[in-house]
């Protein structure tokens, strides 16, 4: 095959691979949404031995820890890409630390998400609950997008901060609509 013919054959394969990579995060979010809407929730289920108000308090605390890890991730990401004012260049150890904290945040999110989806599913009983439910589905799609972007060398420079920003934003919105709401209490009008 000559150079031009080989390039033409590779281009459609790259286009299909790029399309599938863009579709995967959407498929993850839609799959979680579909499961959350079709399975029968069990609001009596527990988490780590906690039930009722105890499980809500535990999830609010775990969600707050997750939010803290997301803030650390954001700061480390800004530092790695020299966007953290006054910090200078990040030492080499910041990169593996960023990956490790990202893994810990992902693992911490799993029991929270598992309980939410199995105990409540995807609900639209109020604006807060609807935003929380949809954002919970989007969170794992955003995580898949971030992993794909990190491993891609062909995407534009804005793709990584956009994917990371979407992930931090989803975590912040989930924290705001659940953990903060729990700590402040629904009686305050929040």
């Amino acid at each position: 095959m000559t150079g031009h013919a080989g390039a033409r054959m590779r281009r459609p394969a790259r286009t299909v691979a790029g399309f599938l990579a863009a579709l995967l995060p959407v498929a993850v979010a839609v799959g979680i949404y579909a499961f959350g809407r079709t399975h029968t929730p069990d609001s009596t289920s527990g988490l780590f031995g906690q039930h009722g108000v105890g499980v809500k308090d535990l999830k609010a605390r775990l969600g707050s820890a997750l939010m803290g890890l997301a803030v650390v991730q954001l700061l480390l990401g800004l530092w790695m890409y020299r966007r953290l004012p006054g910090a200078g260049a990040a030492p080499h150890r910041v990169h593996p630390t960023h990956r490790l904290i990202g893994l810990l945040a992902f693992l911490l999110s799993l029991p929270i998400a598992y309980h939410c989806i199995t105990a409540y599913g995807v609900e639209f009983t109020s604006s807060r609950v609807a935003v929380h439910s949809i954002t919970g589905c989007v969170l794992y799609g955003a995580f898949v997008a971030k992993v794909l972007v990190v491993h891609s060398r062909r995407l534009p420079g804005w793709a990584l901060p956009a994917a990371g920003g979407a992930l931090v934003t989803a975590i912040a919105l989930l924290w705001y609509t659940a953990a903060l709401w729990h700590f402040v209490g629904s009686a305050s009008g929040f």
Side-chain angles (χ1 to χ4, degrees):
M1 231 182 262
T2 64
H4 291 294
R8 277 185 285 192
M9 300 255 329
R10 285 189 300 266
R11 203 170 299 135
R14 284 188 197 146
T15 303
V16 169
F19 176 73
L20 291 176
L23 191 59
L24 186 58
V26 174
V28 167
V30 169
I32 293 169
Y33 174 85
F35 176 79
R37 291 296 291 167
T38 59
H39 93 287
T40 303
D42 177 13
S43 60
T44 64
S45 67
L47 180 65
F48 300 125
Q50 299 293 315
H51 294 277
V53 176
V55 77
K56 290 178 182 178
D57 188 59
L58 174 62
K59 284 181 9 185
R61 292 178 190 286
L62 292 173
S64 294
L66 179 60
M67 184 66 221
L69 290 174
V71 169
V72 170
Q73 280 294 90
L74 175 62
L75 293 173
L76 289 174
L78 290 170
W79 194 10
M80 287 187 315
Y81 290 96
R82 293 183 169 208
R83 298 289 191 257
L84 193 60
H92 179 70
R93 67 183 178 276
V94 169
H95 294 268
T97 302
H98 183 75
R99 279 189 222 102
L100 178 62
I101 291 174
L103 175 62
L104 291 173
F106 175 76
L107 294 174
L108 180 61
S109 76
L110 292 176
I112 303 166
Y114 176 79
H115 185 267
C116 284
I117 198 79
T118 59
Y120 308 111
V122 173
E123 295 181 356
F124 301 105
T125 55
S126 71
S127 299
R128 179 192 66 82
V129 171
V131 167
H132 187 79
S133 291
I134 296 300
T135 305
C137 298
V138 168
L139 173 69
Y140 291 99
F143 177 78
V144 169
K146 171 102 183 322
V147 169
L148 290 173
V149 168
V150 164
H151 292 289
S152 174
R153 302 281 185 234
R154 300 187 184 274
L155 293 171
W158 56 263
L160 184 57
L167 195 52
V168 170
T169 301
I171 292 169
L173 194 53
L174 287 166
W175 177 80
Y176 180 80
T177 57
L180 182 60
W181 183 83
H182 174 77
F183 291 135
V184 172
S186 58
S188 68
F190 172 64

